[in-house]
Structures are given as C-alpha cells and as structure tokens.
Amino acid sequence: MIVLDQNIPTDERRKLERWGIHTRKIGVDIGWAWMDDVGQVLPLLHSLRQPTFFTLDLGFYHRRFCHDRYCLVVFDVADTQVAEFVRKFLRHPLFRTKAKRMGKVMLVSSEGVRWWTKGMPKEFRAAWTSPISVDKNTDNKR
C-alpha cells in the first residue's frame, strides 16, 4: 500500500494515479487532516498492512523511526518532482518490492537514496546512476 502524506500536492498524486500507481492520502482517504507526525501518523502506519509512506517532511528521516511493519520515504526534492521520484524509487532494483523496503527509513534526492535499516548501525547509500552499488561508508559528507 502506497500512502502519501498530506503535504504531497494533489497534482503529483494525480500523475501517480495516471501512471497506475494507486495511492491513499492522509486527510483524504485515511486518517484526518493535520495529523501529528510522530504521535498519530506512525501509529496509523502500524495499523496498515506493510505501507510505504511518502512525505516531504524531513523530520521523518531518522533511524529511530525504522520499523518492520512499514517503510518511510522522505523526499528532498521540489514538491513538483514528487511523482517522478516516487516512480523512480519504486523502479529501483533495491526497493522495487515491499519486502526490500520494509524496516527502512529513506531519504530520496536527485543524487540518490540514503537509508537506515532496522537493526543496522550505519546509514546506507545508493546513487541513481549505479543502483546496484551500495556505499556503507557514512564518513563522506554531502
């Protein structure tokens, strides 16, 4: 199940639907408008069946939010690029199945994807240009 935060523009959701990516949006299809991020959105995700949650809220990118029952994907892109990056992310060989996404908190940007995995002490990285190479070194500053 693909869940969009309320901060994802409606136009971007429409693009995803046209591309065959079915979504549910907080405040429209599930939950209610202006849900509190940690106190209400995360418990809502726990109640759903393996959701992948997409948001523009950078506050969600923290390893303490890793959980086996969901995936959090945080975008560090313009809000008009969200649909393009959702599709790109879902097609990435490392993340194209729910099984590969669960237990992760991810940060998606034009450079690539950074992520934390539940139970792992280090942040991982993958560039869009080399999707199968994973850099476990977090000493590189961006």
Side-chain angles (χ1 to χ4, degrees), residues 6 13 53 68 83 119 139:
Q6 57 196 357
R13 183 183 188 195
F53 177 68
D68 291 335
D139 296 332

Side-chain angles (χ1 to χ4, degrees), residues 92 94 126-134:
H92 194 290
L94 293 174
W128 294 119
T129 56
S130 57
I132 58 170
S133 72
V134 177

Side-chain angles (χ1 to χ4, degrees), residues 1 7-8 10 12-13 21 27 31 47 54 59 66 78 81 83-84 86 94-95 100 104 113 115 119 132 134 138:
M1 171 186 306
N7 62 19
I8 304 294
T10 301
E12 294 300 292
R13 183 183 188 195
I21 300 171
S47 73
F54 292 100
C66 290
Q81 294 179 300
E84 171 190 343
V86 166
L94 293 174
F95 314 118
K100 291 180 178 183
K104 294 177 175 61
V113 183
W115 71 94
I132 58 170
V134 177
T138 58

Side-chain angles (χ1 to χ4, degrees), residues 25-116:
K25 188 169 180 177
I26 292 185
V28 177
D29 307 302
I30 57 173
W32 56 91
W34 309 111
M35 290 180 76
D36 175 64
D37 294 338
V38 176
Q40 296 172 327
V41 172
L42 292 180
L44 174 66
L45 296 178
H46 285 277
S47 73
L48 302 173
R49 189 168 185 268
Q50 296 184 314
T52 298
F53 177 68
F54 292 100
T55 183
L56 287 163
D57 185 344
L58 293 171
F60 274 107
Y61 188 66
H62 196 286
R63 99 175 159 188
R64 76 173 183 255
F65 296 137
C66 290
H67 196 280
D68 291 335
R69 295 191 57 161
Y70 59 72
C71 170
L72 300 177
V73 182
V74 180
F75 290 104
D76 189 9
V77 300
D79 62 356
T80 56
Q81 294 179 300
V82 168
E84 171 190 343
F85 278 93
V86 166
R87 185 163 66 168
K88 191 173 190 176
F89 171 79
L90 292 173
R91 289 179 174 178
H92 194 290
L94 293 174
F95 314 118
R96 74 174 61 153
T97 67
K98 276 196 274 186
K100 291 180 178 183
R101 295 191 301 264
M102 292 300 107
K104 294 177 175 61
V105 175
M106 306 178 161
L107 181 66
V108 172
S109 71
S110 59
E111 296 174 9
V113 183
R114 295 170 32 197
W115 71 94
W116 295 101

Side-chain angles (χ1 to χ4, degrees), residues 11-28:
D11 288 346
E12 294 300 292
R13 183 183 188 195
R14 285 187 191 121
K15 286 180 197 173
L16 292 169
E17 296 288 334
R18 278 195 308 268
W19 295 335
I21 300 171
H22 302 292
T23 65
R24 291 187 176 184
K25 188 169 180 177
I26 292 185
V28 177

